[in-house]
Every structure is written in C-alpha cells, then in structure tokens.
Amino acid sequence: MKDKDFQVVVITGGSKGIGRAIGVKFARPDTQIYFNHYDSDDKAANETVGLIRDMGGNARASRVNVASLDEVQDFFKEVMEQFGRVDVLVNNAGITMDTLLVRMKETDWDRVIDVNLKGVFNCTQAAAKIMIRQRSGRIVNMASVVGVMGNVGQANYAASKAGLIGLTKAAAKELAPRGITVNAVAPGFIDTDMTAALPKKVKEGMLAQIPLGRSGQPEDVASVVAFLASPEAGYITGQVIHVNGGMYM
C-alpha cells in the first residue's frame, strides 16, 4: 500500500511495555504501524498486532536486532517496498544488564551500548535517508531519567541513555532544515516487565523519590510520544520531555 495520505509509523521494541502502548496509541484506520522486536518468539508481538487491529489500526511485526546494521537496513527496505514512506520513527528498543560498575563485564557494557545507542543510530540513519527525500518526518527517541541523573548499578544503561540524548540533539540540528524533528522522551519509573523484575526494596526506594507518589503507566509515555509525532508539535525539536512524576526536575 503506497498512499501519501496513509501515515507509516515505525516502532522499535514494539511487542510489549511502552512500545506496545505507543503502537496502540497510534492505532487508527489511516495509519500503518510497523514494529520490530527481538523476543525469543512471536507471541507478544502477535498479541500487540491484535490489540492494534482491535483499535481499528493496521500493524505488522518483524524480528530484528537493531544492533545489526544489516538487519536494520533490510527492515527499512521491507517497509519501503510495502508502504513507500516512513513518517514517524520511534526508537524504543532497549535492554538492561545491571550490576555495579566494578563488577560489570565488558560484554554487559558492550551489549547495552550496542542495543540502546548503536541501535538508535542504525535506525535513525536509515529513517533519516527516507525522510530527507520526503522533506518531512518525526523521530522520537526513548531516553530515561537514568540518563540525566544516573543510577547505582546501571553505568552501562545510564551511559547509553545519556548518549542517546546527545544523539537526539545533534540529529535535530542536522535534520531540521529538511522538515524533520527529532526529540527524546525520558520516562521515569514506569510499570513494565523491566521494572517488575526489580527487587522490592529497589522499587520502594524509587517510589520514595517520586513527588506524585506512584509509578507511571506505559500509556503516560505513549501520549507524549504521540504528541511529539503530531502536527501540533511541529515547532518542537531537539528537546527532552521528562515523564517521571517529578522524580527529576
């Protein structure tokens, strides 16, 4: 389907959590959502496709390692062959491999940086080439409160998200003359599978730092992403929007 009135939204890490909520938020008849995942099977991805279709949207999913340039290029080639454009890219894919800095293995550092930072570079570069030809586009990167305030046991994750913020600002300056905006959303403590795995004491400690006194929901983040991708946000670029209940101000 190649229709200029048909919006194409690409989401990385879209099978569950925040990525799933973003896909559902974009779900409408005139939008094609194409997301990737790197789960061991397609169960969660298929569930997300079903949810989006139940909301009246169109969705497809692929298993892609965003840290692999070849896989990313093949993914975007497939999107272009099927739909002919990319209007929105949401770089949401990310992983954690937490441990104290002095105990962190080189492989733990490399893997997190590869997925969380290099993966965003790979996808942004591929999408930017398409959007430059279109002279339009929206790119939204998923940063984190940890990328601006740090966190014990997450040196690799914090570094990847801080680097992502720098990448966002550089890309925003480069792509603005072509009508492309690039922004970041920095969630705080959001209820996802990733945070559910944290020890009880860690969760209690994080909640104690939040003035609103509760964790956030994936939908809280998805609403901000949808706004940044909308026409109403056309004069916003190079920004980091914090969604954290006041945890960081």
Side-chain angles (χ1 to χ4, degrees), residues 14-247:
S15 63
K16 48 195 171 184
I18 292 173
R20 173 180 285 181
I22 293 169
V24 171
K25 187 69 178 180
F26 276 104
R28 56 182 186 269
D30 63 347
T31 298
Q32 174 64 50
I33 298 161
Y34 208 136
F35 68 88
N36 64 38
H37 70 94
Y38 202 57
D39 303 330
S40 58
D41 58 49
D42 293 333
K43 181 180 178 181
N46 290 338
E47 289 175 356
T48 300
V49 168
L51 288 170
I52 292 171
R53 290 176 178 171
D54 288 345
M55 295 292 292
N58 308 279
R60 296 189 186 186
S62 294
R63 189 173 189 271
V64 178
N65 176 12
V66 295
S68 166
L69 181 59
D70 288 342
E71 290 191 33
V72 167
Q73 290 177 339
D74 288 344
F75 174 69
F76 277 91
K77 181 180 179 182
E78 181 180 346
V79 174
M80 289 298 289
E81 287 175 348
Q82 293 182 11
F83 307 111
R85 62 186 300 111
V86 174
D87 299 292
V88 179
L89 168 65
V90 182
N91 284 304
N92 173 72
I95 62 170
T96 58
M97 300 185 77
D98 298 346
T99 191
L100 293 175
L101 175 67
V102 295
R103 297 176 184 170
M104 188 172 292
K105 298 176 182 177
E106 182 182 12
T107 52
D108 294 343
W109 173 273
D110 289 345
R111 181 60 181 153
V112 170
I113 296 297
D114 278 352
V115 173
N116 296 5
L117 187 54
K118 182 186 174 186
V120 174
F121 165 78
N122 288 342
C123 295
T124 299
Q125 185 182 64
K129 290 178 180 179
I130 297 166
M131 292 176 176
I132 286 171
R133 292 194 295 271
Q134 297 171 177
R135 299 194 69 84
S136 67
R138 297 278 192 270
I139 298 174
V140 183
N141 297 327
M142 200 59 58
S144 169
V145 66
V146 172
V148 292
M149 63 183 289
N151 197 35
V152 174
Q154 290 192 306
N156 49 4
Y157 187 75
S160 71
K161 295 302 184 178
L164 177 57
I165 290 171
L167 173 58
T168 297
K169 293 177 180 293
K173 289 190 174 183
E174 288 189 21
L175 299 176
R178 300 301 182 97
I180 303 163
T181 65
V182 187
N183 292 287
V185 176
F189 188 50
I190 309 296
D191 283 335
T192 63
D193 289 347
M194 189 180 291
T195 57
L198 294 172
K200 183 179 179 181
K201 281 191 175 182
V202 174
K203 292 181 186 178
E204 291 173 348
M206 295 188 78
L207 285 171
Q209 300 177 56
I210 302 173
L212 284 180
R214 64 174 179 85
S215 57
Q217 298 302 309
E219 292 74 18
D220 295 323
V221 181
S223 294
V224 177
V225 172
F227 168 70
L228 289 173
S230 72
E232 288 79 5
Y235 201 56
I236 301 173
T237 196
Q239 304 304 306
V240 181
I241 310 300
H242 295 274
V243 185
N244 59 39
M247 184 178 184

